[in-house]
Each structure stands twice: as structure tokens, then as C-alpha cells.
Amino acid sequence: MNFLQNELTEQVAQTARDFARQHIRPYIMEWDESQEFPVETFKEMGKLGLMGVLVPEQYGGAGLSYFEYKTVIEEVARVCGSVGLSLAAHNSLCTGHILQFGNEEQKQTYLPKLATAEWIGAWGLTEANTGSDAGNMRCTAVRDGDGWIINGTKNWITHGKSGDVAVVVCRTGEPRTRNNATAFIVERGTPGFSAGKKENKLGMRASETAEMVFDQCRISDSQRLGEVGDGFYQAMKVLDGGRISIAALSLGIARGAYDAARQYAQERHQFDKPIASFQGISFKLADMATEIEAANLLILQACDLKNRHLPMTREAAMAKYYASEVAVRVANDAVQVFGGYGYTKDFPVEKFYRDAKLCTIGEGTSEIQKLVISREELKK
């Protein structure tokens, strides 16, 4: 495994870095305070290929590898976790699901629009009473002639209100039975498909999180992704790749918090010395830097396996679990380095602190990651 960054990856990193500094950094607190989902910013990222990083060029995407994808999310999240989260959800979940399991007609129809951000994508698996227990979902799709009728509600959906198209996993069999779910593509504007409550969140406030409501929503069978009953299997495969993206998001947040803390520790003086010269602070920085590098290596390992189409469920879960917990610890220590100033919105670390926590919850909690890891370990 060679994890040395090549010229292409560095060029992509620089593109994402420059965009984040120019078009995201000036507005992060404005978007955070108002909970505005900056759709136009995402459309600008689409023009640069950042909204279809993994999509092959034949479908209008950038056709890059997971190394570049990880780098894009990391660089954006280093400036704003909210934008990084929405970038990850659009690429990995909705777009990724169609890319992995769509037929050729579905790919030709949807991927060019998603890859350029002409359309924003959403992905619906979670429900109010079925978070980790996704196999017990209540949102149903029932056969109706040559189509399906969907009824139910999906919760905690990124872009649940603003998304132009959604991949929705619905129950098509008996609860808790094998192969009881099927995935469908549903376009915004389809009768019976509407947005519900938008969540008022602690962090990631510029990344829209809302309900998707289905009330006698009729779609054609041509909108079905794969075979009937394959929905849960598909969702788990999509989440394997999605965990790499949340790990990269976590890494970006950790790096952003660390950058701010390191700079502040060198500029802030107490007792006529920069506080970085005191062991209590310098050792914090040492711990932060070490954990960030360890998380980075776990993510690169998962990316390498994914690029080579090798099994990576265990490695992706490890990367997501460790990196998300590191993001929380690093952001917490960054606030501590800033002291009282770190608790104010005049400095960036309080936002990294608020944003980081979601990484330990979204796309499978830390507890679920440990369950996945332990199961894979016990298979050996």
C-alpha cells in the first residue's frame, strides 16, 4: 500500500482548499446562525467536479478515486463541517447508490444531473423509530399494477427538503424478515412526496436535515433500484463507502480545530511566553497531532481497499469509529486551548466542537461501528 499523495490528489486538494477559503469561509457563521443550506454554493462546487467525484466521466462526473474523494471532503470540512457533511451525503449516498445499483437507463438519467449539482440528492433509510434498527422500517412500498405506492415518513434526511431527487429504501415484505426492503428513486414534485419538519440542530446547522413524507406516492416500477428485496443489502453496501466519507469529514473537522488551536497557542501569551511553550498545552497539541495522523492512516487503508474492490467493511467501520471519536476529542481540546475565548463565536473552535459530535452518530453510531468491527473480527 502506497499512501504517498500523487500530483493529481494534490491538485484536487488545492482546488477544494482554494474553493473553501474563497467561497465558504466568509459565510460559515452566517449560514450557521440562520441554518441556511447554501444551494448555490453546491452548484458552484458541481462546476468544479466536486459533486460527482466518483462518478465516471461518461456520466458527467470527475471519475476520480476514493483517495481524491477523501481529500475533497477533508479539505472542505477543515473549513466548514456542515458543507463537508452535505458534500459527503450527496456523493456517497444518493449518487453513490444509483452509481452502484442503478441500471444503465437510471444512470444516464440521474448521474449527469447529480454529478454537476444541477440536482441535489437525498437518501432515505432512517425513520423516527428505526435508527440503528433499520430492518424494522415502517415506510412501505406496495405493488400497484405496473408501479408502487409508497406510504410513510423518513427522518433525519440530509437535503430532505431541498433535494431534487431521493433514493428511498422502503419495506416491501414482512418486518424483520430477510430481503424485506427495496430501494426506489423518487423525484421531487412526484404527487404524494413532500417535506416535513426541518430539524433545529446543535451543529452542522447549514447542512439541511428534514423529514421526507410519502402519502399515497405512486411511482413507476422503472424507478426501482435492483431486485425486489435487495434494498437492505444495497443500503449496507452504500454505507460501507459512506463511512469512509464520514471518517474523512471527521478528519477535516479535527484538522481544522487543530490548525486553529496550534496557531492560537503560538500567538497567545501568558506569563510573558506563548502558551505553546507550556507543557500542559504542548502535550495537548502532541496528542491531537498523533491521533489525527492515526485516523488519517485508517482512512487511507479503507480507501485503498475500496479502490481495489476488496472487502473493506471492517476497515471502513474502524476508520469511521476512530476518526469520529478523534474529531470530538480534538475539538474539545481545541476549545480548552483557547480557554474562555474558545467558548465564544468570535473564534472558530466552538463550531468545530458543535459539528464534531454528529460524526459519532450519523451513518451508524460509534456503538454500531463497534458491533460491525467485532462481528468481522469474530468471523476470522
Side-chain angles (χ1 to χ4, degrees):
M1 293 181 288
N2 181 6
F3 297 153
L4 291 176
Q5 190 158 298
N6 60 37
E7 186 177 349
L8 174 61
T9 307
E10 179 51 40
Q11 288 174 351
V12 171
Q14 192 61 53
T15 297
R17 196 178 299 134
D18 290 344
F19 184 89
R21 288 172 179 169
Q22 295 174 30
H23 302 285
I24 298 174
R25 190 185 298 279
Y27 309 105
I28 55 175
M29 292 313 297
E30 175 187 334
W31 295 337
D32 184 77
E33 294 285 346
S34 65
Q35 297 195 76
E36 176 187 351
F37 174 54
V39 175
E40 291 306 314
T41 300
F42 286 88
K43 293 190 180 296
E44 290 300 314
M45 285 195 286
K47 294 176 183 178
L48 295 175
L50 304 183
M51 296 294 277
V53 181
L54 301 169
V55 176
E57 292 182 37
Q58 71 188 86
Y59 301 118
L64 299 174
S65 79
Y66 262 80
F67 288 130
E68 286 77 46
Y69 180 43
K70 170 254 187 195
T71 300
V72 166
I73 296 172
E74 179 185 346
E75 291 297 339
V76 171
R78 202 166 183 166
V79 172
C80 180
S82 293
V83 178
L85 174 61
S86 280
L87 180 69
H90 174 93
N91 274 279
S92 286
L93 301 181
C94 180
T95 305
H97 198 138
I98 296 172
L99 179 61
Q100 286 186 68
F101 297 105
N103 58 38
E104 188 58 29
E105 182 180 354
Q106 290 166 338
K107 291 178 182 179
Q108 292 283 359
T109 299
Y110 294 105
L111 291 181
K113 293 180 179 179
L114 289 164
T116 58
E118 178 184 346
W119 280 12
I120 301 294
W123 192 75
L125 177 66
T126 303
E127 299 178 12
N129 296 308
T130 57
S132 299
D133 184 18
N136 197 29
M137 68 183 71
R138 297 179 183 178
C139 182
T140 60
V142 178
R143 283 269 195 187
D144 181 53
D146 61 351
W148 297 80
I149 294 178
I150 302 176
N151 282 290
T153 302
K154 293 293 181 178
N155 296 68
W156 300 102
I157 308 304
T158 305
H159 315 145
K161 182 177 180 181
S162 297
D164 300 285
V165 62
V167 171
V168 186
V169 183
C170 305
R171 183 163 57 79
T172 51
E174 293 301 313
R176 298 191 183 284
T177 57
R178 189 175 180 83
N179 303 327
N180 76 336
T182 306
F184 300 91
I185 303 170
V186 187
E187 296 181 18
R188 185 72 62 184
T190 303
F193 175 27
S194 61
K197 176 188 175 186
K198 179 181 176 180
E199 302 296 341
N200 184 8
K201 302 178 306 222
L202 168 72
M204 302 291 195
R205 289 168 61 82
S207 178
E208 177 188 281
T209 305
E211 292 177 328
M212 295 193 302
V213 180
F214 300 90
D215 183 10
Q216 294 294 112
C217 178
R218 192 181 195 283
I219 59 171
S220 166
D221 188 56
S222 65
Q223 299 302 100
R224 172 170 48 84
L225 279 161
E227 298 301 318
V228 174
D230 282 354
F232 192 73
Y233 164 80
Q234 293 177 10
M236 294 304 101
K237 289 298 181 183
V238 169
L239 285 172
D240 272 352
R243 283 167 183 155
I244 293 177
S245 71
I246 298 301
L249 173 69
S250 304
L251 181 63
I253 291 171
R255 286 200 193 278
Y258 174 71
D259 290 343
R262 183 182 57 190
Q263 180 179 343
Y264 183 80
Q266 292 171 306
E267 295 172 351
R268 171 71 166 172
H269 282 67
Q270 292 286 275
F271 308 102
D272 301 320
K273 295 180 181 179
I275 61 173
S277 67
F278 296 109
Q279 195 174 83
I281 299 299
S282 64
F283 278 18
K284 277 189 189 301
L285 296 174
D287 286 339
M288 294 158 79
T290 302
E291 290 200 302
I292 286 170
E293 289 308 309
N296 186 42
L297 287 170
L298 280 172
I299 299 166
L300 288 170
Q301 175 182 241
C303 288
D304 177 66
L305 293 171
K306 184 69 173 174
N307 284 337
R308 292 191 285 144
H309 308 289
L310 295 174
M312 38 68 77
T313 297
R314 168 181 172 271
E315 289 76 11
M318 284 181 169
K320 195 273 185 187
Y321 165 54
Y322 186 74
S324 63
E325 295 291 342
V326 165
V328 172
R329 288 194 292 271
V330 169
N332 180 66
D333 281 346
V335 172
Q336 198 70 18
V337 169
F338 273 77
Y341 290 115
Y343 204 66
T344 72
K345 292 182 183 291
D346 296 328
F347 292 87
V349 289
E350 66 84 28
K351 183 176 182 298
F352 287 123
Y353 182 72
R354 289 186 288 111
D355 288 347
K357 186 57 193 170
L358 185 277
C359 298
T360 69
I361 299 170
E363 294 199 36
T365 62
S366 291
E367 291 73 22
I368 288 294
Q369 304 311 314
K370 287 193 275 189
L371 180 64
V372 171
I373 295 164
S374 62
R375 283 178 175 172
E376 293 296 313
E377 285 293 312
L378 293 171
K379 287 179 182 178
K380 294 181 178 180

PDB file of all heavy atoms in Angstrom, residues 178-210:
ATOM      1  N   ARG A 178     -35.884 -11.595   6.099  1.00  0.00           N
ATOM      2  CA  ARG A 178     -34.767 -11.418   5.172  1.00  0.00           C
ATOM      3  C   ARG A 178     -35.282 -10.864   3.846  1.00  0.00           C
ATOM      4  O   ARG A 178     -36.339 -11.248   3.370  1.00  0.00           O
ATOM      5  CB  ARG A 178     -34.067 -12.764   4.966  1.00  0.00           C
ATOM      6  CG  ARG A 178     -32.761 -12.668   4.194  1.00  0.00           C
ATOM      7  CD  ARG A 178     -32.087 -14.036   4.151  1.00  0.00           C
ATOM      8  NE  ARG A 178     -30.836 -14.000   3.419  1.00  0.00           N
ATOM      9  CZ  ARG A 178     -29.684 -13.617   3.928  1.00  0.00           C
ATOM     10  NH1 ARG A 178     -29.628 -13.236   5.196  1.00  0.00           N
ATOM     11  NH2 ARG A 178     -28.581 -13.618   3.207  1.00  0.00           N
ATOM     12  N   ASN A 179     -34.548  -9.978   3.246  1.00  0.00           N
ATOM     13  CA  ASN A 179     -34.913  -9.418   1.947  1.00  0.00           C
ATOM     14  C   ASN A 179     -36.291  -8.758   1.953  1.00  0.00           C
ATOM     15  O   ASN A 179     -37.118  -8.992   1.073  1.00  0.00           O
ATOM     16  CB  ASN A 179     -34.865 -10.503   0.857  1.00  0.00           C
ATOM     17  CG  ASN A 179     -33.505 -11.164   0.762  1.00  0.00           C
ATOM     18  OD1 ASN A 179     -32.476 -10.535   0.992  1.00  0.00           O
ATOM     19  ND2 ASN A 179     -33.494 -12.449   0.445  1.00  0.00           N
ATOM     20  N   ASN A 180     -36.534  -7.941   2.976  1.00  0.00           N
ATOM     21  CA  ASN A 180     -37.859  -7.334   3.126  1.00  0.00           C
ATOM     22  C   ASN A 180     -37.909  -5.874   2.683  1.00  0.00           C
ATOM     23  O   ASN A 180     -38.904  -5.190   2.915  1.00  0.00           O
ATOM     24  CB  ASN A 180     -38.329  -7.443   4.581  1.00  0.00           C
ATOM     25  CG  ASN A 180     -37.632  -6.453   5.506  1.00  0.00           C
ATOM     26  OD1 ASN A 180     -36.526  -5.994   5.212  1.00  0.00           O
ATOM     27  ND2 ASN A 180     -38.274  -6.113   6.612  1.00  0.00           N
ATOM     28  N   ALA A 181     -36.844  -5.376   2.040  1.00  0.00           N
ATOM     29  CA  ALA A 181     -36.812  -3.953   1.673  1.00  0.00           C
ATOM     30  C   ALA A 181     -36.338  -3.794   0.225  1.00  0.00           C
ATOM     31  O   ALA A 181     -35.593  -4.624  -0.306  1.00  0.00           O
ATOM     32  CB  ALA A 181     -35.888  -3.188   2.610  1.00  0.00           C
ATOM     33  N   THR A 182     -36.778  -2.697  -0.383  1.00  0.00           N
ATOM     34  CA  THR A 182     -36.430  -2.399  -1.770  1.00  0.00           C
ATOM     35  C   THR A 182     -36.152  -0.910  -1.889  1.00  0.00           C
ATOM     36  O   THR A 182     -36.788  -0.099  -1.197  1.00  0.00           O
ATOM     37  CB  THR A 182     -37.576  -2.799  -2.727  1.00  0.00           C
ATOM     38  OG1 THR A 182     -37.918  -4.173  -2.498  1.00  0.00           O
ATOM     39  CG2 THR A 182     -37.199  -2.608  -4.183  1.00  0.00           C
ATOM     40  N   ALA A 183     -35.208  -0.545  -2.745  1.00  0.00           N
ATOM     41  CA  ALA A 183     -34.846   0.862  -2.941  1.00  0.00           C
ATOM     42  C   ALA A 183     -35.507   1.419  -4.199  1.00  0.00           C
ATOM     43  O   ALA A 183     -35.628   0.725  -5.216  1.00  0.00           O
ATOM     44  CB  ALA A 183     -33.332   1.000  -3.041  1.00  0.00           C
ATOM     45  N   PHE A 184     -35.917   2.695  -4.113  1.00  0.00           N
ATOM     46  CA  PHE A 184     -36.580   3.364  -5.229  1.00  0.00           C
ATOM     47  C   PHE A 184     -36.003   4.769  -5.400  1.00  0.00           C
ATOM     48  O   PHE A 184     -35.551   5.389  -4.436  1.00  0.00           O
ATOM     49  CB  PHE A 184     -38.085   3.488  -4.972  1.00  0.00           C
ATOM     50  CG  PHE A 184     -38.786   2.173  -4.784  1.00  0.00           C
ATOM     51  CD1 PHE A 184     -38.923   1.618  -3.508  1.00  0.00           C
ATOM     52  CD2 PHE A 184     -39.316   1.487  -5.868  1.00  0.00           C
ATOM     53  CE1 PHE A 184     -39.571   0.399  -3.332  1.00  0.00           C
ATOM     54  CE2 PHE A 184     -39.964   0.267  -5.697  1.00  0.00           C
ATOM     55  CZ  PHE A 184     -40.080  -0.278  -4.429  1.00  0.00           C
ATOM     56  N   ILE A 185     -36.055   5.270  -6.627  1.00  0.00           N
ATOM     57  CA  ILE A 185     -35.690   6.654  -6.925  1.00  0.00           C
ATOM     58  C   ILE A 185     -36.979   7.455  -7.027  1.00  0.00           C
ATOM     59  O   ILE A 185     -37.873   7.112  -7.812  1.00  0.00           O
ATOM     60  CB  ILE A 185     -34.922   6.756  -8.254  1.00  0.00           C
ATOM     61  CG1 ILE A 185     -33.678   5.878  -8.247  1.00  0.00           C
ATOM     62  CG2 ILE A 185     -34.539   8.206  -8.533  1.00  0.00           C
ATOM     63  CD1 ILE A 185     -32.998   5.752  -9.605  1.00  0.00           C
ATOM     64  N   VAL A 186     -37.077   8.519  -6.221  1.00  0.00           N
ATOM     65  CA  VAL A 186     -38.290   9.351  -6.232  1.00  0.00           C
ATOM     66  C   VAL A 186     -37.889  10.799  -6.488  1.00  0.00           C
ATOM     67  O   VAL A 186     -37.061  11.359  -5.764  1.00  0.00           O
ATOM     68  CB  VAL A 186     -39.063   9.248  -4.901  1.00  0.00           C
ATOM     69  CG1 VAL A 186     -40.398   9.981  -5.020  1.00  0.00           C
ATOM     70  CG2 VAL A 186     -39.290   7.797  -4.507  1.00  0.00           C
ATOM     71  N   GLU A 187     -38.478  11.397  -7.501  1.00  0.00           N
ATOM     72  CA  GLU A 187     -38.171  12.783  -7.839  1.00  0.00           C
ATOM     73  C   GLU A 187     -39.049  13.750  -7.059  1.00  0.00           C
ATOM     74  O   GLU A 187     -40.220  13.465  -6.789  1.00  0.00           O
ATOM     75  CB  GLU A 187     -38.373  13.023  -9.340  1.00  0.00           C
ATOM     76  CG  GLU A 187     -37.433  12.234 -10.221  1.00  0.00           C
ATOM     77  CD  GLU A 187     -37.658  12.520 -11.702  1.00  0.00           C
ATOM     78  OE1 GLU A 187     -38.282  13.566 -12.020  1.00  0.00           O
ATOM     79  OE2 GLU A 187     -37.215  11.704 -12.537  1.00  0.00           O
ATOM     80  N   ARG A 188     -38.463  14.886  -6.684  1.00  0.00           N
ATOM     81  CA  ARG A 188     -39.240  15.957  -6.057  1.00  0.00           C
ATOM     82  C   ARG A 188     -40.313  16.405  -7.045  1.00  0.00           C
ATOM     83  O   ARG A 188     -40.072  16.507  -8.239  1.00  0.00           O
ATOM     84  CB  ARG A 188     -38.330  17.132  -5.708  1.00  0.00           C
ATOM     85  CG  ARG A 188     -39.011  18.247  -4.933  1.00  0.00           C
ATOM     86  CD  ARG A 188     -39.315  17.838  -3.506  1.00  0.00           C
ATOM     87  NE  ARG A 188     -38.110  17.527  -2.756  1.00  0.00           N
ATOM     88  CZ  ARG A 188     -38.112  17.076  -1.500  1.00  0.00           C
ATOM     89  NH1 ARG A 188     -39.265  16.862  -0.873  1.00  0.00           N
ATOM     90  NH2 ARG A 188     -36.976  16.810  -0.872  1.00  0.00           N
ATOM     91  N   GLY A 189     -41.506  16.647  -6.551  1.00  0.00           N
ATOM     92  CA  GLY A 189     -42.614  17.023  -7.423  1.00  0.00           C
ATOM     93  C   GLY A 189     -43.538  15.862  -7.723  1.00  0.00           C
ATOM     94  O   GLY A 189     -44.652  16.067  -8.240  1.00  0.00           O
ATOM     95  N   THR A 190     -43.111  14.646  -7.399  1.00  0.00           N
ATOM     96  CA  THR A 190     -43.992  13.494  -7.554  1.00  0.00           C
ATOM     97  C   THR A 190     -45.161  13.629  -6.583  1.00  0.00           C
ATOM     98  O   THR A 190     -44.949  13.865  -5.389  1.00  0.00           O
ATOM     99  CB  THR A 190     -43.224  12.185  -7.266  1.00  0.00           C
ATOM    100  OG1 THR A 190     -42.093  12.093  -8.126  1.00  0.00           O
ATOM    101  CG2 THR A 190     -44.119  10.976  -7.456  1.00  0.00           C
ATOM    102  N   PRO A 191     -46.396  13.534  -7.041  1.00  0.00           N
ATOM    103  CA  PRO A 191     -47.549  13.664  -6.131  1.00  0.00           C
ATOM    104  C   PRO A 191     -47.442  12.712  -4.948  1.00  0.00           C
ATOM    105  O   PRO A 191     -47.114  11.535  -5.114  1.00  0.00           O
ATOM    106  CB  PRO A 191     -48.740  13.316  -7.027  1.00  0.00           C
ATOM    107  CG  PRO A 191     -48.285  13.672  -8.409  1.00  0.00           C
ATOM    108  CD  PRO A 191     -46.820  13.333  -8.441  1.00  0.00           C
ATOM    109  N   GLY A 192     -47.687  13.238  -3.762  1.00  0.00           N
ATOM    110  CA  GLY A 192     -47.614  12.431  -2.554  1.00  0.00           C
ATOM    111  C   GLY A 192     -46.262  12.454  -1.869  1.00  0.00           C
ATOM    112  O   GLY A 192     -46.098  11.887  -0.788  1.00  0.00           O
ATOM    113  N   PHE A 193     -45.284  13.120  -2.475  1.00  0.00           N
ATOM    114  CA  PHE A 193     -43.946  13.232  -1.881  1.00  0.00           C
ATOM    115  C   PHE A 193     -43.744  14.678  -1.440  1.00  0.00           C
ATOM    116  O   PHE A 193     -43.781  15.595  -2.252  1.00  0.00           O
ATOM    117  CB  PHE A 193     -42.892  12.837  -2.904  1.00  0.00           C
ATOM    118  CG  PHE A 193     -41.449  13.024  -2.469  1.00  0.00           C
ATOM    119  CD1 PHE A 193     -41.077  12.992  -1.127  1.00  0.00           C
ATOM    120  CD2 PHE A 193     -40.450  13.214  -3.411  1.00  0.00           C
ATOM    121  CE1 PHE A 193     -39.761  13.160  -0.734  1.00  0.00           C
ATOM    122  CE2 PHE A 193     -39.123  13.387  -3.041  1.00  0.00           C
ATOM    123  CZ  PHE A 193     -38.783  13.360  -1.703  1.00  0.00           C
ATOM    124  N   SER A 194     -43.559  14.874  -0.122  1.00  0.00           N
ATOM    125  CA  SER A 194     -43.406  16.236   0.406  1.00  0.00           C
ATOM    126  C   SER A 194     -42.365  16.253   1.518  1.00  0.00           C
ATOM    127  O   SER A 194     -41.919  15.209   1.999  1.00  0.00           O
ATOM    128  CB  SER A 194     -44.736  16.758   0.940  1.00  0.00           C
ATOM    129  OG  SER A 194     -45.202  15.948   2.009  1.00  0.00           O
ATOM    130  N   ALA A 195     -41.988  17.458   1.908  1.00  0.00           N
ATOM    131  CA  ALA A 195     -41.039  17.636   3.007  1.00  0.00           C
ATOM    132  C   ALA A 195     -41.794  17.881   4.299  1.00  0.00           C
ATOM    133  O   ALA A 195     -42.836  18.536   4.315  1.00  0.00           O
ATOM    134  CB  ALA A 195     -40.102  18.802   2.721  1.00  0.00           C
ATOM    135  N   GLY A 196     -41.250  17.363   5.401  1.00  0.00           N
ATOM    136  CA  GLY A 196     -41.841  17.589   6.705  1.00  0.00           C
ATOM    137  C   GLY A 196     -40.992  18.519   7.542  1.00  0.00           C
ATOM    138  O   GLY A 196     -40.388  19.473   7.030  1.00  0.00           O
ATOM    139  N   LYS A 197     -40.876  18.210   8.808  1.00  0.00           N
ATOM    140  CA  LYS A 197     -40.166  19.057   9.759  1.00  0.00           C
ATOM    141  C   LYS A 197     -38.677  19.154   9.439  1.00  0.00           C
ATOM    142  O   LYS A 197     -38.027  18.163   9.143  1.00  0.00           O
ATOM    143  CB  LYS A 197     -40.338  18.468  11.163  1.00  0.00           C
ATOM    144  CG  LYS A 197     -39.565  19.194  12.254  1.00  0.00           C
ATOM    145  CD  LYS A 197     -39.628  18.430  13.572  1.00  0.00           C
ATOM    146  CE  LYS A 197     -38.774  19.073  14.646  1.00  0.00           C
ATOM    147  NZ  LYS A 197     -38.740  18.241  15.883  1.00  0.00           N
ATOM    148  N   LYS A 198     -38.156  20.376   9.513  1.00  0.00           N
ATOM    149  CA  LYS A 198     -36.716  20.593   9.414  1.00  0.00           C
ATOM    150  C   LYS A 198     -36.159  20.650  10.831  1.00  0.00           C
ATOM    151  O   LYS A 198     -36.672  21.384  11.679  1.00  0.00           O
ATOM    152  CB  LYS A 198     -36.410  21.886   8.664  1.00  0.00           C
ATOM    153  CG  LYS A 198     -34.927  22.194   8.543  1.00  0.00           C
ATOM    154  CD  LYS A 198     -34.686  23.504   7.808  1.00  0.00           C
ATOM    155  CE  LYS A 198     -33.210  23.862   7.785  1.00  0.00           C
ATOM    156  NZ  LYS A 198     -32.950  25.144   7.080  1.00  0.00           N
ATOM    157  N   GLU A 199     -35.095  19.896  11.089  1.00  0.00           N
ATOM    158  CA  GLU A 199     -34.549  19.806  12.439  1.00  0.00           C
ATOM    159  C   GLU A 199     -33.726  21.047  12.798  1.00  0.00           C
ATOM    160  O   GLU A 199     -33.014  21.606  11.965  1.00  0.00           O
ATOM    161  CB  GLU A 199     -33.670  18.559  12.579  1.00  0.00           C
ATOM    162  CG  GLU A 199     -34.371  17.250  12.269  1.00  0.00           C
ATOM    163  CD  GLU A 199     -35.494  16.925  13.227  1.00  0.00           C
ATOM    164  OE1 GLU A 199     -35.522  17.491  14.337  1.00  0.00           O
ATOM    165  OE2 GLU A 199     -36.360  16.095  12.869  1.00  0.00           O
ATOM    166  N   ASN A 200     -33.833  21.457  14.063  1.00  0.00           N
ATOM    167  CA  ASN A 200     -33.061  22.571  14.607  1.00  0.00           C
ATOM    168  C   ASN A 200     -31.930  21.957  15.431  1.00  0.00           C
ATOM    169  O   ASN A 200     -32.141  21.484  16.539  1.00  0.00           O
ATOM    170  CB  ASN A 200     -33.957  23.456  15.477  1.00  0.00           C
ATOM    171  CG  ASN A 200     -33.242  24.686  16.001  1.00  0.00           C
ATOM    172  OD1 ASN A 200     -32.118  24.982  15.608  1.00  0.00           O
ATOM    173  ND2 ASN A 200     -33.879  25.398  16.901  1.00  0.00           N
ATOM    174  N   LYS A 201     -30.719  21.955  14.883  1.00  0.00           N
ATOM    175  CA  LYS A 201     -29.653  21.115  15.414  1.00  0.00           C
ATOM    176  C   LYS A 201     -28.606  21.897  16.205  1.00  0.00           C
ATOM    177  O   LYS A 201     -28.420  23.091  16.025  1.00  0.00           O
ATOM    178  CB  LYS A 201     -28.955  20.382  14.262  1.00  0.00           C
ATOM    179  CG  LYS A 201     -29.889  19.513  13.423  1.00  0.00           C
ATOM    180  CD  LYS A 201     -29.140  18.854  12.274  1.00  0.00           C
ATOM    181  CE  LYS A 201     -28.412  19.868  11.439  1.00  0.00           C
ATOM    182  NZ  LYS A 201     -28.461  19.688  10.012  1.00  0.00           N
ATOM    183  N   LEU A 202     -27.875  21.152  17.032  1.00  0.00           N
ATOM    184  CA  LEU A 202     -26.741  21.693  17.785  1.00  0.00           C
ATOM    185  C   LEU A 202     -25.638  22.165  16.846  1.00  0.00           C
ATOM    186  O   LEU A 202     -25.115  23.277  16.979  1.00  0.00           O
ATOM    187  CB  LEU A 202     -26.191  20.605  18.711  1.00  0.00           C
ATOM    188  CG  LEU A 202     -24.838  20.877  19.385  1.00  0.00           C
ATOM    189  CD1 LEU A 202     -24.989  21.930  20.471  1.00  0.00           C
ATOM    190  CD2 LEU A 202     -24.258  19.587  19.947  1.00  0.00           C
ATOM    191  N   GLY A 203     -25.253  21.322  15.921  1.00  0.00           N
ATOM    192  CA  GLY A 203     -24.197  21.629  14.973  1.00  0.00           C
ATOM    193  C   GLY A 203     -24.594  21.224  13.577  1.00  0.00           C
ATOM    194  O   GLY A 203     -25.736  20.841  13.327  1.00  0.00           O
ATOM    195  N   MET A 204     -23.675  21.311  12.635  1.00  0.00           N
ATOM    196  CA  MET A 204     -23.963  21.021  11.226  1.00  0.00           C
ATOM    197  C   MET A 204     -25.217  21.758  10.762  1.00  0.00           C
ATOM    198  O   MET A 204     -26.044  21.228  10.021  1.00  0.00           O
ATOM    199  CB  MET A 204     -24.136  19.507  11.004  1.00  0.00           C
ATOM    200  CG  MET A 204     -22.946  18.670  11.415  1.00  0.00           C
ATOM    201  SD  MET A 204     -21.522  18.933  10.329  1.00  0.00           S
ATOM    202  CE  MET A 204     -20.494  17.539  10.748  1.00  0.00           C
ATOM    203  N   ARG A 205     -25.346  23.003  11.179  1.00  0.00           N
ATOM    204  CA  ARG A 205     -26.606  23.712  11.009  1.00  0.00           C
ATOM    205  C   ARG A 205     -26.863  24.184   9.580  1.00  0.00           C
ATOM    206  O   ARG A 205     -28.010  24.439   9.209  1.00  0.00           O
ATOM    207  CB  ARG A 205     -26.647  24.896  11.986  1.00  0.00           C
ATOM    208  CG  ARG A 205     -26.807  24.442  13.436  1.00  0.00           C
ATOM    209  CD  ARG A 205     -26.557  25.557  14.416  1.00  0.00           C
ATOM    210  NE  ARG A 205     -27.461  26.684  14.283  1.00  0.00           N
ATOM    211  CZ  ARG A 205     -28.687  26.756  14.783  1.00  0.00           C
ATOM    212  NH1 ARG A 205     -29.176  25.720  15.464  1.00  0.00           N
ATOM    213  NH2 ARG A 205     -29.427  27.836  14.625  1.00  0.00           N
ATOM    214  N   ALA A 206     -25.821  24.293   8.775  1.00  0.00           N
ATOM    215  CA  ALA A 206     -26.019  24.692   7.385  1.00  0.00           C
ATOM    216  C   ALA A 206     -26.224  23.482   6.472  1.00  0.00           C
ATOM    217  O   ALA A 206     -26.435  23.640   5.275  1.00  0.00           O
ATOM    218  CB  ALA A 206     -24.841  25.521   6.887  1.00  0.00           C
ATOM    219  N   SER A 207     -26.170  22.286   7.037  1.00  0.00           N
ATOM    220  CA  SER A 207     -26.498  21.077   6.300  1.00  0.00           C
ATOM    221  C   SER A 207     -27.935  20.707   6.648  1.00  0.00           C
ATOM    222  O   SER A 207     -28.234  20.327   7.779  1.00  0.00           O
ATOM    223  CB  SER A 207     -25.552  19.931   6.688  1.00  0.00           C
ATOM    224  OG  SER A 207     -25.895  18.748   6.011  1.00  0.00           O
ATOM    225  N   GLU A 208     -28.808  20.851   5.676  1.00  0.00           N
ATOM    226  CA  GLU A 208     -30.245  20.682   5.937  1.00  0.00           C
ATOM    227  C   GLU A 208     -30.584  19.246   6.338  1.00  0.00           C
ATOM    228  O   GLU A 208     -30.170  18.292   5.682  1.00  0.00           O
ATOM    229  CB  GLU A 208     -31.003  21.052   4.671  1.00  0.00           C
ATOM    230  CG  GLU A 208     -32.502  20.861   4.754  1.00  0.00           C
ATOM    231  CD  GLU A 208     -33.136  21.078   3.391  1.00  0.00           C
ATOM    232  OE1 GLU A 208     -33.319  22.253   3.014  1.00  0.00           O
ATOM    233  OE2 GLU A 208     -33.413  20.084   2.695  1.00  0.00           O
ATOM    234  N   THR A 209     -31.338  19.112   7.411  1.00  0.00           N
ATOM    235  CA  THR A 209     -31.815  17.819   7.887  1.00  0.00           C
ATOM    236  C   THR A 209     -33.320  17.911   8.072  1.00  0.00           C
ATOM    237  O   THR A 209     -33.800  18.732   8.853  1.00  0.00           O
ATOM    238  CB  THR A 209     -31.152  17.446   9.220  1.00  0.00           C
ATOM    239  OG1 THR A 209     -29.729  17.494   9.071  1.00  0.00           O
ATOM    240  CG2 THR A 209     -31.556  16.060   9.669  1.00  0.00           C
ATOM    241  N   ALA A 210     -34.073  17.097   7.352  1.00  0.00           N
ATOM    242  CA  ALA A 210     -35.532  17.233   7.380  1.00  0.00           C
ATOM    243  C   ALA A 210     -36.209  15.887   7.135  1.00  0.00           C
ATOM    244  O   ALA A 210     -35.568  14.908   6.718  1.00  0.00           O
ATOM    245  CB  ALA A 210     -35.984  18.240   6.319  1.00  0.00           C
TER     246      ALA A 210
END
